Structure formats: C-alpha cells, structure tokens
C-alpha cells in the first residue's frame, strides 16, 4: 500500500480539526430531566436554554476522536478509520437529534437559531457518512481511497466551521439570553 503513512497523518489532522470545531464555548453542568428552577425567568425558557447548552456541552465533550497512528496492518488501519468515522457520525446524529428536540421552542426566534446551526451540521454529517462509506466499500486502503476520504473530511470540517461561526453569531431572544444565567448547563 503505497503512501499509506502520509494520508493517515493528514486524516489525523482533519479529525483533530473536527474535535476543535465542536462548539464555540464550552459549558458545564449536566442535562436535567425534570423542571429547572427559574428564579424569575419563565421556567420553559430556562429549560429550553439549559437543554440548548447541554447539546453544546455534549459536542465539546465528544469532539476528541482519536485515531491509532501505530496501525501497521492495512486491514486493521481500515477498520480503525471506519470506526473513528462512525464515532463522528454517531456524535453528529445525537447532536442533530437533540437540536431537533428543541423545536418548537417557546419563542419562534429560538427555532430559527436551531435551524441555522442544524443545517450545516447535517451537511457535515453527510460528508462524514460519505467518507465512512468510501472506507467501508473499498477492498483495501489505497492512496486514492485516502484522498477521497480526506476530501470528504475536509469538506465536512469546512461545513462544521460554518456551523461554529453561526453558533457564535446566532442571536437568541433577550429572555433566552437572560435565562442562560439560570440554566445549569450554561454556567
């Protein structure tokens, strides 16, 4: 397998970029299943904001996908790449599902914020699915296969950066921003 190590290193860089683009601002706290104490803000708005921050927190916590660079067996390397891509797809599936659960929001402007973020994340997910399918369908990992996978991953990372940029400028209604101070996951 000619050129095996060079494309793998570029792939690792792309995966590292994915881990770095998980979310603009890390948040702490745990998802809550029950009511959130609002202390003045509308309880439904605080619950929504808490869940929104919980999605962001999950993205940050799940962003670090590792790839074993020491793989010398081509079949094992192919499996490791496929598994890593599968984990990225799984994370994005959860994020997209959880973002979808946030709609309808107590204010339609918040629904727009979710849509603006979900659309590029969905496109990124599709590119990672394509990369995984390329790996899984290949009889062996060749330089051409790596090039195709790297191209899909580069496009996915570009689209994820778009989502992160949108996350940084998305504007939630004033009462939602005020509720962030009372939402455990946003602290």
């Amino acid at each position: 397998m000619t050129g095996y190590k060079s494309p793998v290193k570029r792939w690792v860089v792309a995966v590292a970029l994915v881990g770095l683009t998980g979310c603009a601002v890390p948040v702490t706290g745990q998802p809550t299943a029950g009511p959130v104490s609002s202390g003045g803000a509308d309880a439904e708005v605080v619950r929504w904001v808490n869940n929104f921050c919980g999605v962001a927190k999950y993205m940050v916590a799940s962003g670090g996908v590792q790839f074993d660079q020491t793989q010398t067996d081509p079949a094992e390397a192919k499996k490791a790449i496929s598994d890593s891509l599968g984990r990225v797809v799984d994370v994005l599936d959860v994020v997209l599902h959880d973002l979808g659960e946030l709609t309808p929001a107590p204010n339609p402007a918040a629904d727009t914020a979710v849509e603006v973020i979900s659309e590029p994340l969905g496109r990124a997910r599709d590119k990672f699915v394509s990369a995984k399918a390329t790996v899984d369908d290949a009889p062996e990992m060749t330089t051409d296969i790596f090039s195709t996978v790297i191209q899909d991953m580069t496009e996915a990372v570009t689209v994820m950066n778009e989502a992160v940029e949108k996350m940084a400028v998305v504007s939630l209604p004033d009462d939602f921003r005020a509720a962030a101070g009372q939402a455990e996951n946003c602290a």
Side-chain angles (χ1 to χ4, degrees):
M1 180 164 72
T2 311
Y4 171 71
K5 289 188 179 194
S6 177
V8 170
K9 287 180 184 174
R10 283 185 277 162
W11 187 87
V12 171
V13 170
V15 170
L17 287 174
V18 171
L20 294 175
T21 61
C23 187
V25 179
V27 294
T28 60
Q30 297 298 320
T32 57
V36 177
S37 170
S38 64
D42 179 273
E44 187 62 26
V45 171
V46 173
R47 184 175 12 267
W48 188 95
V49 170
N50 191 57
N51 290 337
F52 184 79
C53 289
V55 172
K57 179 183 175 185
Y58 175 75
M59 283 182 67
V60 169
S62 302
V65 175
Q66 300 287 326
F67 176 69
D68 182 7
Q69 295 184 57
T70 62
Q71 239 2 295
T72 56
D73 180 292
E76 288 299 317
K78 178 182 173 187
K79 180 181 179 333
I81 292 169
S82 177
D83 290 349
S84 293
L85 288 168
R87 285 189 293 277
V88 172
V89 170
D90 290 347
V91 166
L92 289 173
D93 282 344
V94 169
V95 167
L96 289 166
H97 171 269
D98 289 355
L99 285 170
E101 291 292 310
L102 293 173
T103 59
N107 180 325
D111 287 339
T112 302
V114 169
E115 185 178 307
V116 162
I117 295 165
S118 296
E119 190 274 329
L121 288 178
R123 286 188 290 137
R125 181 210 172 273
D126 293 345
K127 285 295 179 181
F128 282 114
V129 167
S130 176
K132 182 173 177 2
T134 299
V135 170
D136 291 346
D137 294 344
E140 65 179 18
M141 295 306 296
T142 63
T143 302
D144 288 342
I145 297 299
F146 272 118
S147 293
T148 301
V149 169
I150 289 168
Q151 178 65 36
D152 279 342
M153 290 184 63
T154 300
E155 291 174 22
V157 170
T158 300
V159 174
M160 286 187 77
N161 282 331
E162 179 185 326
V164 170
E165 289 170 7
K166 288 180 178 185
M167 239 179 180
V169 298
V170 74
S171 181
L172 290 172
D174 290 340
D175 57 334
F176 282 62
R177 286 193 305 258
Q182 300 168 20
E184 184 181 342
N185 280 330
C186 299

